[in-house]
Structures are given as C-alpha cells and as structure tokens.
C-alpha cells in the first residue's frame, strides 16, 4: 500500500506525487480530519477545432472547474495545470495553466475555465492538476486526475 498511489476509493493514481514531497512519510495514512479545504479538478467538456466561440483552428479546448470537497474556504489563487506526456519521452510537460482569482467555499465550485492547447502539444496522455494557494490542503492525493479524452466526441 502506498498512500500517494492509491485513492481513497481504491483507484490507482497513474502519476503520483513523490511521497516525501507530499506527506514525508512512508506507508503512513495521512489524517483527513480537521478544518481544511480539499480542491479537486473536474472536467466539464472538451473539443477540438472551433467548438467554442472564437476558438482558432488547430486548438483543443478543455472546460474545467475546481470543486472544494473540504470543510474550509480555499484561498484565491489556486492554479490549474494541464500536463501532457508521450509514451516515448515519459516526461510531464505543462501545456496550459490558469489561476483562479476567487475563493472557493466548502461544497462549492469555481467558475468554469477553458484551457486552450495547440494540437501539436497534445501528446499521448494528459493530467489535470490543481495546486492550492495555501499549504493547508486536506487531501493532496485527489489534486491530480488522469485524463482519457476522445477529442472526436462529446464528454
């Protein structure tokens, strides 16, 4: 068992953060109690080439938001990052980013954000992650999700 590689619901994390950077523990379960925000990225939709008004040809758009599953308001300034990697290089590269200007209350979600990416930067796999503006994040394991998107169909 590895706390950064297995989610609370039993699913595995494809790109886990190194344990020392996240919890500085080995095989120890972090406490999920207390009064903290818990930010989670959510994909609302995706499209390629001109689905959204004003989108240029050759671009991919990903509509996302951030939900706060915690019991405390998250500070303004959380950052959404879209990362991509190819099976040949296996190096995560940031291909889009956005900073959320508003705070997110407990049980609430941010406004939707559209991340636009050049088709040439879209590799084999993508990862969407949110980084809290404060150090008090409740559960950092759910801050990153692996994306399996078919850009030729609706979500």
């Amino acid at each position: 068992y590895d706390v950064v590689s297995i989610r609370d619901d039993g699913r595995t994390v494809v790109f886990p953060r190194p344990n020392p950077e996240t919890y500085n523990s080995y095989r120890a379960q972090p406490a999920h109690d207390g009064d903290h925000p818990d930010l989670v990225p959510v994909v609302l939709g995706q499209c390629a080439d001109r689905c959204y008004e004003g989108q240029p040809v050759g671009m991919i758009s990903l509509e996302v938001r951030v939900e706060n599953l915690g019991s405390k308001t998250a500070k303004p300034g959380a950052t959404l990052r879209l990362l991509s990697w190819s099976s040949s290089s296996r190096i995560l590269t940031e291909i889009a980013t956005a900073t959320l200007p508003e705070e997110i209350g407990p049980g609430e979600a941010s406004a939707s954000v559209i991340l636009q990416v050049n088709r040439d930067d879209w590799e084999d796999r993508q990862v969407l992650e949110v980084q809290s503006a404060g150090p008090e994040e409740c559960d950092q394991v759910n801050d990153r999700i692996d994306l399996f998107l078919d850009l030729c169909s609706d979500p």
Side-chain angles (χ1 to χ4, degrees), residues 19-55:
N19 189 301
E21 291 177 17
T22 307
Y23 298 112
N24 197 22
S25 64
Y26 182 71
R27 295 190 177 171
Q29 179 67 39
H32 294 285
D33 54 352
D35 193 21
H36 302 283
D38 183 17
L39 300 182
V40 177
V42 177
V43 176
L44 300 174
Q46 79 274 344
C47 74
D49 294 324
R50 308 179 89 51
C51 293
Y52 296 105
E53 186 175 327
Q55 177 181 342

Side-chain angles (χ1 to χ4, degrees), residues 108-137:
E108 296 180 355
S110 70
S112 67
V113 174
I114 296 179
L115 300 174
Q116 288 194 324
V117 179
N118 188 311
R119 253 189 196 278
D120 295 337
D121 295 331
W122 195 264
E123 298 285 348
D124 300 337
R125 299 283 296 275
Q126 289 71 43
V127 175
L128 181 64
E129 99 177 342
V130 61
Q131 294 177 331
S132 176
E136 71 282 350
E137 175 78 14

Side-chain angles (χ1 to χ4, degrees), residues 4-17:
V4 296
S5 297
I6 306 294
R7 298 181 194 272
D8 288 341
D9 63 5
R11 293 182 297 147
T12 58
V13 178
V14 176
F15 296 106
R17 289 187 177 155

Side-chain angles (χ1 to χ4, degrees), residues 39-108:
L39 300 182
V40 177
V42 177
V43 176
L44 300 174
Q46 79 274 344
C47 74
D49 294 324
R50 308 179 89 51
C51 293
Y52 296 105
E53 186 175 327
Q55 177 181 342
V57 173
M59 296 297 285
I60 295 169
S61 294
L62 190 66
E63 185 177 9
V64 299
R65 72 174 177 215
V66 174
E67 295 179 353
N68 183 358
L69 304 180
S71 58
K72 184 176 179 182
T73 299
K75 296 177 183 178
T79 304
L80 274 164
R81 296 176 63 215
L82 181 60
L83 308 160
S84 189
W85 73 288
S86 70
S87 54
S88 59
S89 71
R90 297 194 180 224
I91 297 173
L92 281 172
T93 303
E94 183 178 292
I95 56 174
T97 186
T99 301
L100 303 176
E102 74 270 11
E103 63 182 26
I104 305 169
E108 296 180 355

